[in-house]
Amino acid sequence: MKLKNTLILLLLAAVIFAFIALYEKHQPTTQEARERAGRVVQMDRDEVKEISIKNAETKIELRKGENNVWTLNEPVKDRADSMAINQLFTTAESLKHDAVIGDGKGGEKDQLKEFGLANPEIRVKFTGGEKPVELLLGKDAAVEGKIYVKRADDDAVYVIPNELKNLLTKKVDEFRDHKLTDVAATQVNRIVVKTNSGEIELQKKDEHWSLVKPLQARADASKVGDLISKATNARAESFIADASNPAVYGLQEPRGTVSMFADGREKPEVLQIGGKPKEEKDKDKIYAQLSSRDAVVILPQEAEKLLETQPNDLRDRNLVRVEADIVDRVTLEAAGGNKVVLARSGESWVRKAEKDLPVATSQAARVISDLQAQQVVDFVDADTNLAKYGLDQPQVKVTLSSYASENTAESGAGEKPIVTVLFGKTEGASVYAKVQDEPFVVTVPNTVLGSLPADPLQWQELTIFKLKPEEIVSFEVTKANEPAIALVRDKDQWKLAKGDGAVNQVNAQSLINTISSLSAVRWAGVAAPEHGIDKPSVVVSFKDKAGTSYKLTTGAKTPEEMWYATAEGKTGTFLLSRPDVEAAELPLIEKAAPAQPNGSTKPTSGEAAPATAAPATPAPTPGAPSGETGSADGPAAPPAPAP
């Protein structure tokens, strides 16, 4: 075969292949064919621009505008309900027939009249795309729940379910958007509420809300969000047919207005709230009108709460707003002149003095977290007479600052205050407080003062003793109204420094384990009479291998089940937890058990009996009843019975 003929054949094959590919591309897939089988209409909702509905009562014209937003043009002009439009599209697109009547070659007029399709009262027309799709709906079919329908461009009559008829016979108000405004809550950047009692204005800047009128203050973002949501999510329960006279509905001089300014909108959406309907069924509702819609609507009573909003309802009840991560300095100043400066040092905190002194990181962090957590109990509002609240000479002044050790592109070196808070007089369970840069006096729970000590003694390191248990070689415990008990280490055991007796090794070692690494719960400050240190409950003195002496004294118990205590070499009083104090109160000497019938004895604690001879029966304790004996360590065993 010649080359020329071969090339011609190849070209023809390519053309045929391309034609087949193009043809098959436009053929429905098996799945699509199955889905289309039995459908009455085929259309693409994205191409539809207008929908015309005619029923027995009225004619409804819907039109798609910019951004695919549907509007109602007839019989009234208003925003359409997108949900109702979508439901209509879905029902029409998925419309399948149960039966087909006629061959499509020309229907008889009498037959169409019989089906109610010669001059039907209900019809819908979808305009857009290549050609319009119009459906005519006739009478109910013989089968319950079915109706006759035909396309305007086809003589075939179909039997379909009546869902489409139910949609097309809706009243016009059911095609209107019942959501009052199409502004999203997240779009609103300013809101103004006006009532007869005044005006409230709020603005958002850098994602933070602030009150602008009637006072300038921080606003609570969540509460402002709730206010905006009430306005933007308001839904009309019904529409007033004749709204030509606003005075009838109390909208000539509305009781209040809510103006919403939104991103991307030139004009605000203004919601006017008028009077209340006189009809009994609507007596708990209100009339309203939105500036972007002509309709007067009836809103539920809930919408009236917009007018009940008070400025303090929207204020931020957090005493301060500060990010803990940017705080590098905490300065606490007391009225008496005490001053404490805490500074970050890597991952920990120190107290700035002649030299940096370690402090508990948790205690320093607690100052910041407690200030962050403080909620305002009451707003006293602006008052220049600070002495009235004890804020001219506050009992505590707290300053949170950031600190830069060297100049940077963003800032210079040194300390830069973030916020300063003054705490004044205490009144009941509250204390007056004021953020220095804000004009308002507020009250907060006075419990916050407990975490803001300006006494340097209260910022000492919480570790009282830092030893290893094996380093302690002797100790002495003195309990109130009891003789002292002194023990010394004998290899891995403890024994009485003087005299004989069985030592409870478990209790002795428990005390040593506790006291060797003892830590305070917190420091209380300078010793005071109420601490009870002058009348100690337990005194523990001990020595280490180097001969260094240590002493712990516990005093009175607090209502929180803690004990005041002091340590030799430490300044001030601190608080110990119950488990630490209980370790010092455990009995150190075993008590003798009653003699057994065979004359043997066992310690009451269950420990093995000491390898010493049983002591002779002691003499009767003075003042004891006849026949009873006793000792400092407890009652002795009664005499064994005669054999």
Side-chain angles (χ1 to χ4, degrees):
M1 184 179 293
K2 293 182 180 181
L3 178 61
K4 181 178 179 181
N5 293 337
T6 302
L7 291 175
I8 292 172
L9 290 174
L10 288 174
L11 181 60
L12 287 172
V15 170
I16 294 171
F17 179 79
F19 173 78
I20 293 172
L22 184 64
Y23 176 80
E24 290 184 347
K25 179 180 179 181
H26 290 86
Q27 296 305 304
T29 63
T30 303
Q31 181 65 27
E32 290 173 340
R34 288 174 180 170
E35 291 177 353
R36 292 181 182 182
R39 287 190 180 179
V40 176
V41 297
Q42 301 289 338
M43 66 177 177
D44 184 351
R45 70 170 71 185
D46 293 335
E47 295 182 353
V48 176
K49 305 298 182 184
E50 295 181 5
I51 302 174
S52 176
I53 300 171
K54 181 182 178 300
N55 56 41
E57 294 186 3
T58 187
K59 181 180 180 181
I60 299 170
E61 293 287 347
L62 298 157
R63 186 172 299 162
K64 183 163 66 174
E66 294 182 4
N67 301 319
N68 294 325
V69 175
W70 283 89
T71 58
L72 182 64
N73 286 2
E74 291 289 343
V76 294
K77 292 185 179 296
D78 200 358
R79 194 170 64 244
D81 186 345
S82 60
M83 295 288 288
I85 302 293
N86 288 333
Q87 186 179 11
L88 178 58
F89 270 126
T90 301
T91 302
E93 288 170 340
S94 59
L95 193 62
K96 292 186 177 182
H97 60 75
D98 295 332
V100 182
I101 303 172
D103 57 8
K105 296 181 179 179
E108 296 291 338
K109 289 185 178 180
D110 290 343
Q111 191 179 37
L112 292 178
K113 187 175 181 180
E114 179 185 346
F115 297 143
L117 293 168
N119 188 23
E121 290 185 339
I122 304 171
R123 61 176 64 204
V124 59
K125 185 177 182 180
F126 300 92
T127 304
E130 295 181 0
K131 62 178 181 178
V133 174
E134 185 174 10
L135 293 174
L136 313 179
L137 279 69
K139 295 179 179 179
D140 292 341
V143 179
E144 185 177 358
K146 309 290 182 179
I147 61 169
Y148 296 110
V149 68
K150 73 180 290 293
R151 295 200 308 266
D153 61 348
D154 184 4
D155 290 333
V157 176
Y158 303 93
V159 178
I160 63 168
N162 58 10
E163 282 86 349
L164 182 62
K165 178 182 177 181
N166 294 337
L167 293 177
L168 299 179
T169 53
K170 282 183 175 182
K171 295 184 180 297
V172 65
D173 283 355
E174 295 186 68
F175 287 95
R176 300 170 80 166
D177 192 352
H178 284 245
K179 188 172 182 291
L180 211 53
T181 177
D182 61 347
V183 173
T186 53
Q187 291 178 280
V188 179
N189 53 43
R190 179 182 168 209
I191 185 167
V192 180
V193 180
K194 290 183 181 180
T195 64
N196 292 332
S197 59
E199 181 177 339
I200 299 173
E201 181 177 350
L202 300 116
Q203 286 186 354
K204 183 167 71 172
K205 185 178 181 181
D206 298 330
E207 300 304 317
H208 295 290
W209 281 95
S210 299
L211 266 167
V212 178
K213 293 180 182 179
L215 71 165
Q216 293 188 354
R218 284 180 285 119
D220 187 315
S222 64
K223 293 178 181 177
V224 176
D226 290 343
L227 174 68
I228 294 172
S229 293
K230 285 179 184 176
T232 56
N233 293 331
R235 295 186 65 84
E237 292 198 353
S238 59
F239 297 85
I240 303 301
D242 181 12
S244 57
N245 187 1
V248 174
Y249 311 105
L251 293 168
Q252 188 73 37
E253 295 181 1
R255 290 185 296 135
T257 61
V258 180
S259 301
M260 294 167 283
F261 299 78
D263 295 329
R265 302 280 179 118
E266 293 183 2
K267 296 180 179 180
E269 293 268 271
V270 181
L271 174 62
Q272 295 180 317
I273 296 178
K276 297 185 177 183
K278 296 179 181 179
E279 292 80 359
E280 183 66 23
K281 66 182 180 65
D282 293 328
K283 65 178 182 179
D284 292 331
K285 299 168 186 176
I286 56 175
Y287 289 117
Q289 188 172 34
L290 192 70
S291 59
S292 60
R293 301 174 73 175
D294 294 333
V296 172
V297 299
I298 294 179
L299 297 181
Q301 180 73 15
E302 179 73 13
E304 191 161 15
K305 291 183 179 179
L306 290 166
L307 305 183
E308 299 171 1
T309 304
Q310 298 298 316
N312 283 352
D313 296 337
L314 303 169
R315 291 175 70 172
D316 186 357
R317 286 191 173 268
N318 288 284
L319 179 60
V320 297
R321 285 282 189 183
V322 63
E323 295 292 335
D325 292 343
I326 66 173
V327 177
D328 302 311
R329 292 282 192 277
V330 177
T331 302
L332 303 160
E333 300 175 76
N338 283 337
K339 181 177 180 179
V340 170
V341 178
L342 307 174
R344 284 189 192 271
S345 178
E347 297 299 320
S348 58
W349 287 78
V350 297
R351 179 166 68 86
K352 307 298 287 186
E354 293 181 2
K355 64 175 183 177
D356 290 350
L357 302 172
V359 298
T361 299
S362 60
Q363 192 178 5
R366 183 183 170 195
V367 173
I368 303 171
S369 62
D370 280 7
L371 285 176
Q372 287 176 313
Q374 287 311 302
Q375 294 288 298
V376 171
V377 175
D378 192 21
F379 293 101
V380 182
D381 280 336
D383 197 329
T384 56
N385 185 12
L386 297 182
K388 178 180 176 181
Y389 309 103
L391 291 166
D392 57 332
Q393 295 181 345
Q395 58 174 309
V396 182
K397 176 181 175 181
V398 186
T399 301
L400 306 182
S401 310
S402 61
Y403 188 85
S405 58
E406 57 185 26
N407 288 317
T408 65
E410 294 80 16
S411 63
E415 184 173 338
K416 296 199 172 185
I418 301 169
V419 64
T420 298
V421 187
L422 313 177
F423 293 92
K425 291 194 299 188
T426 300
E427 195 170 276
S430 299
V431 60
Y432 289 106
K434 180 181 180 296
V435 176
Q436 195 168 58
D437 293 337
E438 296 181 1
F440 312 108
V441 176
V442 301
T443 60
V444 296
N446 62 20
T447 51
V448 67
L449 298 174
S451 60
L452 306 174
D455 181 359
L457 292 180
Q458 293 178 267
W459 285 98
Q460 297 180 86
E461 196 174 9
L462 294 178
T463 299
I464 305 302
F465 302 124
K466 192 181 294 184
L467 298 167
K468 295 179 180 179
E470 58 269 23
E471 292 178 326
I472 299 176
V473 296
S474 65
F475 69 92
E476 181 178 279
V477 178
T478 304
K479 300 177 184 177
N481 303 318
E482 293 185 19
I485 298 176
L487 302 178
V488 295
R489 187 183 291 278
D490 182 15
K491 296 181 180 179
D492 294 331
Q493 296 289 311
W494 291 96
K495 69 177 184 178
L496 287 168
K498 293 182 180 180
D500 295 324
V503 175
N504 188 315
Q505 298 294 328
V506 173
N507 290 352
Q509 193 58 44
S510 176
L511 171 58
I512 293 305
N513 292 341
T514 298
I515 205 167
S516 62
S517 57
L518 188 68
S519 290
V521 175
R522 67 174 183 270
W523 284 89
V526 178
E530 61 267 22
H531 297 170
I533 302 300
D534 56 333
K535 296 179 180 179
S537 55
V538 180
V539 177
V540 181
S541 302
F542 58 99
K543 289 184 178 182
D544 62 15
K545 291 178 179 179
T548 306
S549 297
Y550 305 87
K551 185 178 180 180
L552 172 72
T553 302
T554 62
K557 184 170 71 170
T558 72
E560 295 85 9
E561 295 289 314
M562 293 186 286
W563 276 259
Y564 291 106
T566 60
E568 202 168 70
K570 303 280 187 180
T571 305
T573 305
F574 52 87
L575 288 167
L576 286 179
S577 65
R578 170 190 281 276
D580 290 342
V581 175
E582 287 181 342
E585 293 178 339
L586 292 171
L588 298 173
I589 306 301
E590 299 282 10
K591 293 182 179 180
Q596 302 301 313
N598 61 2
S600 65
T601 62
K602 292 183 179 178
T604 58
S605 68
E607 294 286 335
T612 57
T617 303
T621 302
S626 177
E628 293 185 7
T629 60
S631 69
D633 289 322

